[in-house]
Structure formats: structure tokens, C-alpha cells
Amino acid sequence: MDPTELQSALADHPLFRGLAPEGIAGFAERGDLIETAVGDALVREGQDADSLLVVLSGELKVTKKGSRGFPSELGKVSSGAVLGEVGLLGGGKRTATAKAVEASRAFSLSREDFEAMVDAGDLAARQVLLRLARTMAERQQATSERLAEMAEKVEHPDGTMRLSVTEIRERLLQAVSDGI
């Protein structure tokens, strides 16, 4: 993908849509294009969370290891998805693995480059920062609502819990997948 194609792909992505062309060009210059074949991991659980990943094409399966070390599928993401926004803003470790279900392309932007853009007063970077904050807030709200629903469903009128550990685990995994 040449620089013009990358800028066009970024301009079509919801995270960058509506930004000035020079702002999109600034992102394209600082980031990297990652291409994956079927079965390739774009990110792995436990790796340093030091970049934002913007899915441009393809489909990825997102999994998380359970307490016994076996992966559970949290969901699938495709073009238009954003992964790693928490790591971009706060660091830490990746909380899930994302593997290509089909050949995929993603744009990767390091935390270091993003912070440099924000610190320099780059308007496009500040707009993306606001969009990421809104995305995180929406996901947090959705997760909180799901947890509240789960609490209502598991609590019996006498105050005892009526779900098995497996049922609780499945509901928690579903709540987390809704917040991918």
C-alpha cells in the first residue's frame, strides 16, 4: 500500500473520518502498516501495550486466556475496529490476543509517536484523543450496564446466588467482549 492509499484508508476509518488531510498525512507518516495472513497474531495477550491498532481490512478473532490457561473467544472485529486504545493511553500489557481469521491490514501507531503529536499541539492528534476517550467511556458504560444486568439475574430474592461458576464466567466473558 503506497502512502496515498494509506492516507485514503485512514480517511475512511471512523477514528480518522473528517480530519483534515494534513492531519491524516501526519498520522500516516508516523505509523506503520501491518499485514497479516490467516492465523497470524496481530497482538498477543501479555505483550507490552505500546501501540494503537486500527483495523483497515479483514477480520480478527479476539481471545483471552482463562484462569486455567485456555483461550476463550471474546468476539471478532473487522474493518473499522480499534484495538489497544487503553494501552495507547495508559500502557501496561495487552489483555487479549487478536489473530487474523482472514488476511487483514491494520495501521499501528506507537504510544511514543502519538504522545509526541499531542504534546506538539497537533490538532488531529487531539481530535483522535477525544474520540478514543469517548470510545473508552462508551465501552465502560456498556460493561457496567452488562454487569448490573448480570447481578440482577444471579441474585435470588433471598440474597443467594443461583448461577454456576461456569455461567458466571460465560457472562463475564460476554460483558468483556462487548467492551473490546
Side-chain angles (χ1 to χ4, degrees):
M1 181 177 284
D2 68 38
T4 303
E5 288 175 311
L6 178 57
Q7 288 177 32
S8 178
L10 291 178
D12 287 341
H13 193 279
L15 184 63
F16 301 104
R17 195 171 291 137
L19 297 181
E22 58 274 7
I24 293 171
F27 280 108
E29 290 170 11
R30 288 187 178 260
D32 297 304
L33 181 67
I34 300 172
E35 296 182 294
T36 60
V38 174
D40 288 350
L42 185 60
V43 294
R44 292 191 182 280
E45 185 175 351
Q47 289 177 329
D48 287 338
D50 57 1
S51 62
L52 176 73
L53 298 159
V54 177
V55 182
L56 301 175
S57 66
E59 185 175 58
L60 305 161
K61 178 170 69 170
V62 180
T63 61
K64 178 164 184 55
K65 289 181 185 173
S67 61
R68 295 185 182 173
F70 298 106
S72 294
E73 185 175 326
L74 298 179
K76 292 184 179 170
V77 296
S78 58
S79 181
V82 174
L83 302 171
E85 67 279 0
V86 174
L88 181 77
L89 301 177
K93 301 288 183 186
R94 300 267 184 220
T95 59
T97 297
K99 286 188 178 180
V101 175
E102 58 187 54
S104 302
R105 287 182 171 171
F107 175 74
S108 175
L109 181 68
S110 73
R111 180 173 54 248
E112 182 179 319
D113 283 334
F114 184 68
E115 287 176 354
M117 292 173 76
V118 171
D119 290 346
D122 184 298
L123 178 59
R126 289 178 182 225
Q127 290 172 314
V128 167
L129 178 62
L130 182 58
R131 290 175 184 183
L132 290 173
R134 285 183 181 144
T135 297
M136 290 173 58
E138 289 168 3
R139 289 179 181 175
Q140 178 62 41
Q141 183 176 2
T143 299
S144 294
E145 289 172 7
R146 289 293 305 259
L147 289 173
E149 288 174 16
M150 288 172 44
E152 287 178 8
K153 291 178 183 177
V154 298
E155 193 171 306
H156 192 269
D158 67 6
T160 59
M161 301 301 248
R162 298 292 184 190
L163 289 180
S164 71
V165 171
T166 301
E167 291 171 313
I168 293 169
R169 180 180 162 274
E170 288 174 3
R171 290 180 184 203
L172 284 172
L173 284 171
Q174 181 62 46
V176 169
S177 73
D178 290 344
I180 292 176

